[in-house]
Amino acid sequence: MSLFEELKLNVEQGNKEAVLAQVQQALAEGHEAQEILNQGLIAAMDVVGAKMEAEEMFIPEVLRAAKTMEAGLEILKPLLAVGDIQVEGTVVIGTVKGDLHDIGKNLVALLLASAGFAVIDLGINVPPATFVAKVKESQADFLGMSALLTTTMPMMRETLAELERAGLRDRVRVLVGGAPVTQAFADQIGADGYASDAGAAIKVAKELGAVVA
Ligand code: B1M
């Protein structure tokens, strides 16, 4: 079994010590942090997701796998965050109301910060009014919303409506993402940008740029 296959299996089984050792080993062997993240840690969560769907894994085991993945990610974080010091704008980010998934959102927040954005992370289960109040208070240039459940995606539309009602829609760029979110959905709800992964989120945010008042 290859190192990455073993790493995936250990994340899936929640073997934290083995994961920490194998992430270090992969780095020592010269693998890039991004490669270890994508082919080891994230790939493992895809297997976990499929098993969850097939009811071969249940919430406690999934949570254990997620925590193990995050432990491995802690080692990679400083290596992923190699941004410049240029200030690209302020981003308010969070996982929408009803949704507790935060691993992907945390990665997006980390990479945005490392790419020179000032990031205000509101965490999980964020109601539309909280997003809007923080955008107003911080005079944010971007609002980033993450959703991992098809049932919580409509909260993105509701947050956009709340922004509109507060008279703030025109002064903030809205970026959406998360596994079930698509470009078509982003277009449908009137978001300014969609990104399929954390790397793309940085690219899209930079392309959109802040709204010039
Ligand atoms: Co849940 N879960 N989960 N879960 N979970 C999924 C999402 C699911 C696809 C699994 C499955 O059935 N195959 C499924 C959703 C089905 C659907 O709606 N389509 C599901 C379900 C059903 C549920 C529950 C309802 C289960 C239950 O209770 N019966 C429940 C809901 C709880 C709630 O939120 N209210 C639930 C709970 C949980 C745990 C708490 C156990 C745990 C979350 C722990 C945590 O986040 N702290 C969990 C996990 C770990 C998963 C899977 C296995 C992994 C998610 C993950 O972390 N992926 C997931 C299956 C899967 O996605 N393969 C699943 C790794 C992460 C790096 O990727 O989050 O996609 P991701 O982020 C990527 C991109 O999407 C993108 O960039 C990130 C990095 O590249 N991205 C953005 C994300 N946000 C972005 C924002 C942007 C731009 C890009 O701009 C702002």
Side-chain angles (χ1 to χ4, degrees), residues 14-158:
N15 301 326
K16 186 173 153 194
E17 295 310 318
V19 165
L20 296 181
Q22 285 168 345
V23 168
Q24 296 287 15
Q25 186 186 338
L27 287 170
E29 287 180 9
H31 294 284
E32 296 285 337
Q34 194 69 51
E35 183 191 1
I36 303 169
L37 174 67
N38 290 336
Q39 294 181 28
L41 304 183
I42 293 184
M45 295 317 286
D46 286 340
V47 177
V48 171
K51 290 198 172 175
M52 194 176 168
E53 203 167 7
E55 298 190 357
E56 289 166 21
M57 275 181 89
F58 299 94
I59 300 297
E61 298 154 282
V62 176
L63 255 182
R64 195 174 142 149
K67 286 195 188 316
T68 306
M69 188 245 176
E70 284 182 307
L73 183 58
E74 281 302 315
I75 300 177
L76 300 178
K77 270 183 181 175
L79 302 164
L80 292 167
V82 283
D84 37 45
I85 28 165
Q86 197 186 341
V87 176
E88 299 274 354
T90 298
V91 187
V92 167
I93 192 167
T95 301
V96 297
K97 186 176 172 193
D99 203 319
L100 309 177
H101 296 84
D102 67 355
I103 298 174
K105 181 267 298 167
N106 292 346
L107 259 177
V108 173
L110 171 77
L111 292 204
L112 280 169
S114 76
F117 291 86
V119 177
I120 300 171
D121 188 345
L122 299 180
I124 54 175
N125 194 21
V126 183
T130 306
F131 274 124
V132 172
K134 197 44 114 176
V135 164
K136 189 173 184 184
E137 180 199 312
S138 64
Q139 302 193 349
D141 305 290
F142 301 89
L143 169 61
M145 288 183 278
S146 180
L148 264 285
L149 299 172
T150 42
T151 48
T152 57
M153 284 164 63
M155 275 299 152
M156 292 178 162
R157 191 197 295 274
E158 290 203 23

